[in-house]
Amino acid sequence: MKKILLPLLCAFLILITSRNVYSQNIWSQSGILMDMDTKQVIYQRNMHTRFLTASIAKIMTCLIAIEEKPLNFVVTITREDILAEGSAIYLPEGEEVYLKDLLYGLMLRSGNDAAHAIAVAVAGSVEEFAVLMNRKAEEIGMKNSRFANPSGLDSETQNFSTSFDMALLMSYAMDNPLFREINNTKTHSFTTLATETKHTFQNKHRLINQQSIYNGGKTGFTRAAGRTLVTTATFENVNLVVVTFKGSTGDFREHQALFQAGFKRYDKQVFMRQGIIRVREDGEVKLKEVTEDVFIMVNRVDNPVITSRFERIGSNVYLIILADGEVVRQVELLDYCIEQSDNQHFWRFLRRLFT
């Protein structure tokens, strides 16, 4: 009897969880499901509300380190590193290790000692490293985030972000092959340089260890922040990211349910091909250029009505794409200048005008 009831109970829980996803009733106080390629938001709850990050701030730490230093850079562990509170990878003072191995300790084991050592090695101090973090956040478009330390600890200094901003960050970071490789690792073993001691790190992110579709993520927890979680997954060339803040112990199930519903319900479709278009602006027709194919995620279950318009925002003109009247994407259009374009491009444009 127990063998029969268990599968039925699991099926019931999956059904309830899936319903919660589309009744906008996830347990976490904030959450988002975003397509990493188009940055289109598929589902959200309080996605622009700021929360303490806890250790998901280490996504930014890892990205900065990869961009700033070679992975074979040798880092010497200091007393200040090992005094960092919270989770650790427990390397002794004076130990020498490659930056790459510290990054695995940072992302797989969430080592706060590794975060401190990386920050000092890259920028000279935690404070200067935070400057780099905030500069990168501004570059990515994270408008509601502030970083003060590389670990996510919040007893002395605090890092704030939102589901939307962290989804943007993770989408950006996963475009970096080195970050993607580190983030998608289940187990990493290495030998330190000074004492030649072997260490093995197992990834704390439960989903990465379970199924192959999950290929990145970061866990986080402090008493003040509660549970924070980031996960990425890929299925049939669709790349999605889920972020939740202030989650319960069921946050991994929430992520699974969001991915399941997203992959089941949504298709990635071409809305407009790369090329030249005519836009009526201020009573006259102007030529604009779409520099790459424009994709959108379309709900094939609800079959929304897809429309578009052109809109000037500041000094730029954008293609605004809507599903059932709700904006799902906005794409900047560039002024088309014939003199700066090759002949082949120009003749292709002429053929489009007269066919």
Side-chain angles (χ1 to χ4, degrees):
M1 185 67 177
K2 289 182 179 179
K3 290 183 179 180
I4 297 174
L5 286 176
L6 184 58
L8 289 175
L9 178 60
C10 292
F12 176 74
L13 288 173
I14 290 172
L15 175 62
I16 293 298
T17 305
S18 297
R19 282 184 177 178
N20 284 340
V21 167
Y22 284 96
S23 64
Q24 299 191 1
N25 189 30
I26 62 171
W27 297 278
S28 298
Q29 290 185 24
S30 174
I32 192 170
L33 172 65
M34 176 188 283
D35 176 64
M36 291 197 289
D37 300 320
T38 65
K39 311 305 183 290
Q40 181 178 331
V41 176
I42 297 173
Y43 168 83
Q44 66 90 14
R45 181 188 184 196
N46 299 326
M47 68 177 180
H48 294 305
T49 303
R50 288 174 120 196
F51 292 90
L52 293 170
T53 64
S55 285
I56 62 174
K58 291 174 177 137
I59 295 169
M60 178 67 86
T61 301
C62 183
L63 177 65
I64 295 292
I66 288 172
E67 292 185 345
E68 294 291 325
K69 290 286 187 181
L71 295 186
N72 62 355
F73 184 83
V74 176
V75 180
T76 302
I77 302 301
T78 67
R79 181 165 179 77
E80 288 73 22
D81 299 332
I82 63 177
L83 288 177
E85 63 177 292
S87 56
I89 58 173
Y90 304 107
L91 297 179
E93 181 180 357
E95 184 61 274
E96 294 180 342
V97 60
Y98 289 124
L99 175 62
K100 179 178 181 179
D101 296 319
L102 276 182
L103 292 176
Y104 279 102
L106 177 82
M107 298 303 291
L108 273 60
R109 299 307 302 167
S110 203
N112 293 331
D113 48 356
H116 188 280
I118 289 165
V120 174
V122 170
S125 69
V126 166
E127 292 74 20
E128 286 302 311
F129 191 82
V131 171
L132 297 180
M133 297 174 78
N134 288 310
R135 187 180 300 160
K136 178 59 67 173
E138 184 177 359
E139 176 188 329
I140 293 171
M142 300 171 68
K143 297 181 179 179
N144 291 299
S145 301
R146 180 181 64 83
F147 295 96
N149 66 62
S151 64
L153 289 171
D154 43 41
S155 58
E156 296 182 2
T157 59
Q158 297 179 330
N159 297 330
F160 294 95
S161 192
T162 67
S163 293
F164 181 81
D165 281 4
M166 290 305 299
L168 284 182
L169 171 60
M170 195 61 175
S171 300
Y172 179 96
M174 288 294 281
D175 277 339
N176 185 299
L178 291 174
F179 179 93
R180 193 180 187 94
E181 176 188 336
I182 292 170
N183 216 232
N184 192 25
T185 298
K186 294 179 175 63
T187 303
H188 176 72
S189 297
F190 70 100
T191 301
T192 59
L193 302 176
T195 65
E196 297 184 346
T197 303
K198 185 175 180 179
H199 295 265
T200 298
F201 298 143
Q202 185 78 25
N203 200 321
K204 281 186 176 183
H205 197 296
R206 193 182 307 162
L207 298 183
I208 296 174
N209 289 315
Q210 286 181 355
Q211 297 180 30
S212 59
I213 67 165
Y214 302 110
N215 52 19
K218 185 70 192 75
T219 60
F221 175 80
T222 66
R223 288 186 180 180
R227 292 174 66 92
T228 61
L229 186 62
V230 178
T231 313
T232 63
T234 298
F235 182 71
E236 294 183 348
N237 295 320
V238 175
N239 303 297
L240 302 180
V241 58
V242 172
V243 180
T244 50
F245 281 93
K246 285 283 185 180
S248 69
T249 54
D251 51 3
F252 284 105
R253 293 195 301 273
E254 283 186 9
H255 283 225
Q256 286 178 300
L258 284 165
F259 282 123
Q260 181 185 39
F263 288 129
K264 181 178 179 180
R265 290 170 175 254
Y266 280 81
D267 282 326
K268 186 170 292 183
Q269 299 178 8
V270 178
F271 180 82
M272 182 177 290
R273 292 292 184 186
Q274 172 185 353
I276 313 303
I277 60 175
R278 290 169 289 181
V279 177
R280 182 169 292 277
E281 187 180 1
D282 299 328
E284 59 179 297
V285 175
K286 296 183 179 180
L287 301 182
K288 298 289 183 179
E289 183 171 6
V290 182
T291 58
E292 59 185 13
D293 291 347
V294 177
F295 292 87
I296 58 171
M297 299 293 289
V298 178
N299 189 326
R300 62 173 174 266
V301 177
D302 296 338
N303 293 315
V305 176
I306 306 298
T307 57
S308 65
R309 66 173 185 262
F310 299 107
E311 185 175 317
R312 175 170 287 279
I313 303 175
S315 59
N316 301 318
V317 175
Y318 290 83
L319 168 67
I320 309 296
I321 306 172
L322 307 94
D324 286 340
E326 183 178 346
V327 175
V328 293
R329 278 209 73 183
Q330 97 180 14
V331 181
E332 183 179 354
L333 303 177
L334 301 182
D335 291 329
Y336 180 70
C337 181
I338 295 175
E339 291 79 7
Q340 295 178 359
S341 302
D342 58 56
N343 290 332
Q344 184 180 3
H345 198 172
F346 175 65
W347 289 112
R348 185 167 63 247
F349 164 63
L350 285 182
R351 284 196 299 272
R352 287 183 58 191
L353 283 180
F354 295 105
T355 57

